[in-house]
Amino acid sequence: MTDFLRIAATLFVAISPAAAAVAAANVPARLAPRVVVLGAAVAAAAYVAAALGADLLLDAVDIEPETFRVSAGLVMAVGGLFAVWTGGAGHAGSWEDRWTALFPLALPVLVSPAGLAATISHSADGDTGAVIGAAMIVVALAAAAVLARFGRFGAAADGIARVSGALLVVFAGAMIVDGVRAV
Amino acid sequence: MVGAVLLRGSFMAPQFCPALDAEGALGAARLAAAWIENNQLADGTYVYEYRLEDNADLGGYNVVRHAGVTMSLFQLAAGGDLSVLPAADRGLGWMNRNLYRNSGWVALQNPADGGVQLGSSALMLAGVMQRRFATGDTRYDELARSLARGLLALQLPDGAFLNRWNTAANSPVPGERSKYATGEAFWALTLMHRAFPGEGWDRPARLTADYLALHRDDVEQQKYPPWADQWAAYGLGEMATWPLEEHQVEYARRLAERFGLLVRVESQRRDNRLSKLIHGRQARAAGMGTWVEGLTSLHRLAAIDPRMSDLEGKIAERVACGAGMLAARQYTPADASEFEDPVSVEGAWFTEGITRMDDQQHALSGLLFSAPIIQGVKPE
């Protein structure tokens, strides 16, 4: 597996378009496309900022990338277990607000702690370009999933979200082991 | 938010690597050597343990550690500081007066109980080798060969070593291995090959390298493999130009990962109760020094062997971090002046108020070999 595919797979289960779709199922009426696009743009910007600022951030908090990998794995594992448990993406409450694009769509549905942790960790390991590329693709997929409103296919989305959560736990475990085993 | 705070307090606690330049590292190594010299007794032995609180020499002795401390002085001499030779030679003299002689080989014997332990002879041999590298003096060459043959008397067909020789039965004590001594013997044999390349000392060394790389952790039931064996790392570093076989490189990489993790975790520890509770007590210098020693040897390997080259930069970072922590925790002359007997304090490292002679040994060696890495000098 190439680095890009590995990172894309990690971000796919960490951001989890299916979980975003499940969370968006609580919206009483279809979200306006411009709201979804705006939310996705904010999320994309957050991931780009996290990727570009990863080294600065870790320097500021005096953490080596290898050590952060372990912490990122823990955050991802918690996110994965949450997804397995709920099938959703970190927000089960109301979507009735004028700032819906920002909250809850961008944060925490599209910008999840697990997604951010994975982004920072991979970027700090020197894969910034691949991280940004993969994050853009996955955020776009998640936005499309939110926009699609699966309706009667909601149960399928829920199942995929839980499977994604389980995969996230596996990826998180690998990341923790990798961090522990790094020089 | 709660999760972030918990993480920051535990796995993501800030890492602190005090800055240290090459000159500082060498200065700290020399200061450690000065403690060893100043705390050497007339017969060539050293103060074994000293307690700061009541200025007490706690007595006790360990022959393996005597050989190790003396060897570290010879390492410093081989590094260019010949001023430590008189003290090192006194330490060697004590060992020469306590040799056990068998047919064709000798070993260092504990004068207190008559025990003959592999590690004592291995580190004595390593010290004799370092002395040769430091001075070019060949007067101990026959002693070195006899000691090396003594090591081989304890080597098993699979490359492992037994830990003791039973002088009464005139045979090895079966079944007892040491997680330290096998690596010590391995390294000593690689040094023998450097000094006497045509004499075949590389064959038993390679056999032990295979045992360490492939079997030791299973056979000796290491709970968290690989055992962080800096002596094995010394030996592998010595073998860098032989060169290593693939599985030995794989083992060297795993060792580097283990030492790197240990340094990273240590850099998150602080000398306060909360940190002790969450991260455990700060490592003693005898422990941290071994990690830096191991990393410096593996850095040499990484700089020479292209199969390890991807680790060179990271290993150098960890070396600098470990050496920086060592230097920062050493008692300087200014610190020592506040105590009743500054000579027993300056240059030493204390853990819970006590220093043991091998704290200075391992820290000295680690700091000595970290200096060129910090300076960016490529190993030969």
Side-chain angles (χ1 to χ4, degrees):
Chain A
M1 191 185 281
T2 65
D3 281 351
F4 180 79
L5 282 178
R6 180 175 53 84
I7 290 165
T10 306
L11 288 180
F12 185 84
V13 292
I15 297 172
S16 188
V22 172
N26 293 329
V27 184
R30 180 187 292 269
L31 287 171
R34 61 177 174 78
V35 170
V36 176
V37 169
L38 182 60
V42 170
Y47 283 116
V48 170
L52 294 177
D55 288 340
L56 274 176
L57 179 70
L58 296 191
D59 277 351
V61 296
D62 290 322
I63 291 292
E64 293 285 333
E66 295 80 5
T67 304
F68 183 75
R69 219 176 286 159
V70 177
S71 302
L74 289 170
V75 170
M76 288 162 58
V78 171
L81 289 172
F82 180 84
V84 170
W85 186 254
T86 67
H91 180 77
S94 166
W95 286 64
E96 299 292 329
D97 201 296
R98 22 185 319 220
W99 300 103
T100 298
L102 196 60
F103 179 84
L105 179 56
L107 193 79
V109 170
L110 296 179
V111 182
S112 63
L116 272 182
T119 297
I120 293 170
S121 182
H122 284 305
S123 186
D125 288 337
D127 296 314
T128 306
V131 170
I132 291 175
M136 296 301 97
I137 293 169
V138 178
V139 166
L141 287 173
V146 167
L147 207 51
R149 283 180 69 85
F150 288 112
R152 62 196 172 95
F153 297 110
D158 182 89
I160 293 169
R162 290 176 200 267
V163 170
S164 291
L167 284 173
L168 181 56
V169 173
V170 172
F171 284 22
M175 198 172 239
I176 292 169
V177 169
D178 199 38
V180 168
R181 284 195 55 198
V183 173
Chain B
M1 188 54 77
V2 172
V5 170
L6 285 176
L7 265 183
R8 184 62 169 161
S10 54
F11 294 97
M12 256 185 71
Q15 296 178 255
F16 180 57
C17 299
L20 181 71
D21 59 18
E23 201 179 325
L26 276 181
R30 288 198 180 103
L31 205 54
W35 184 94
I36 297 170
E37 290 174 304
N38 292 334
N39 289 278
Q40 189 175 41
L41 308 178
D43 66 351
T45 59
Y46 312 92
V47 170
Y48 183 62
E49 269 191 321
Y50 169 82
R51 187 168 54 215
L52 198 54
E53 186 185 18
D54 53 354
N55 186 28
D57 179 343
L58 300 179
Y61 213 62
N62 180 303
V63 177
V64 181
R65 291 192 173 121
H66 173 93
V69 169
T70 305
M71 185 278 298
S72 72
L73 290 179
F74 283 127
Q75 283 181 314
L76 185 56
D81 184 354
L82 296 177
S83 71
V84 294
L85 272 180
D89 276 344
R90 279 193 293 278
L92 178 57
W94 183 86
M95 292 190 278
N96 276 329
R97 292 193 295 280
N98 289 293
L99 287 179
Y100 165 78
R101 296 178 192 282
N102 204 305
S103 53
W105 55 269
V106 300
L108 176 55
Q109 187 168 33
N110 185 342
D113 62 10
V116 172
Q117 251 183 296
L118 172 67
S120 310
S121 302
L123 290 182
M124 180 182 179
L125 174 56
V128 169
M129 288 290 91
Q130 297 295 337
R131 188 185 188 284
R132 193 181 196 273
F133 302 144
T135 63
D137 183 353
T138 57
R139 86 174 81 163
Y140 292 120
D141 283 1
E142 275 318 303
L143 171 65
R145 291 187 179 97
S146 299
L147 282 165
R149 286 194 293 273
L151 302 186
L152 297 188
L154 289 165
Q155 194 178 33
L156 297 169
D158 67 353
F161 283 86
L162 292 171
N163 191 37
R164 290 177 197 275
W165 181 265
N166 182 335
T167 55
N170 197 31
S171 63
V173 175
E176 183 187 330
R177 302 181 187 200
S178 157
K179 60 185 177 182
Y180 302 102
T182 300
E184 291 162 349
F186 162 58
W187 177 44
L189 290 171
T190 63
L191 294 175
M192 282 296 287
H193 180 65
R194 193 204 311 180
F196 311 110
E199 296 184 7
W201 300 106
D202 56 330
R203 280 194 297 276
R206 285 185 192 278
L207 197 60
T208 304
D210 286 346
Y211 171 72
L212 293 171
L214 298 171
H215 309 300
R216 190 258 294 269
D217 290 328
D218 289 335
V219 171
E220 300 181 20
Q221 295 174 332
Q222 292 296 328
K223 270 187 182 170
Y224 306 105
W227 167 241
D229 188 346
Q230 90 280 9
W231 304 114
Y234 268 124
L236 294 169
E238 197 62 37
M239 288 172 71
T241 53
W242 291 17
L244 294 180
E245 290 179 45
E246 206 57 52
H247 58 274
Q248 294 161 347
V249 170
E250 179 54 35
Y251 173 55
R253 294 182 71 91
R254 287 191 289 125
L255 277 180
E257 290 161 2
R258 177 52 47 89
F259 289 129
L261 173 67
L262 289 167
V263 169
R264 281 191 283 133
V265 170
E266 183 65 24
S267 70
Q268 293 183 300
R269 293 183 173 135
R270 301 287 179 274
D271 191 18
N272 61 50
R273 282 185 187 174
L274 182 65
S275 175
K276 237 178 242 180
L277 187 71
I278 298 171
H279 300 286
R281 194 194 69 190
Q282 285 187 324
R284 65 181 309 154
M288 209 191 338
T290 63
W291 309 337
V292 180
E293 286 178 275
L295 284 167
T296 57
S297 299
L298 295 169
H299 181 268
R300 177 173 194 273
L301 185 55
I304 291 172
D305 192 318
R307 293 168 294 177
M308 291 274 291
S309 62
D310 59 310
L311 298 184
E312 186 182 350
K314 277 293 171 194
I315 294 175
E317 275 183 40
R318 302 295 172 251
V319 166
C321 184
M325 287 190 286
L326 278 172
R329 295 178 192 178
Q330 186 178 32
Y331 275 62
T332 63
D335 299 328
S337 66
E338 296 172 18
F339 294 93
E340 193 179 335
D341 180 18
V343 167
S344 298
V345 177
E346 67 179 64
W349 285 263
F350 288 85
T351 303
E352 296 181 347
I354 293 174
T355 188
R356 200 173 60 202
M357 62 183 190
D358 57 318
D359 285 320
Q360 281 62 263
Q361 171 206 335
H362 291 294
L364 186 171
S365 304
L367 286 160
L368 172 67
F369 295 118
S370 68
I373 296 170
I374 292 169
Q375 202 173 12
V377 176
K378 277 274 177 192
E380 294 168 12

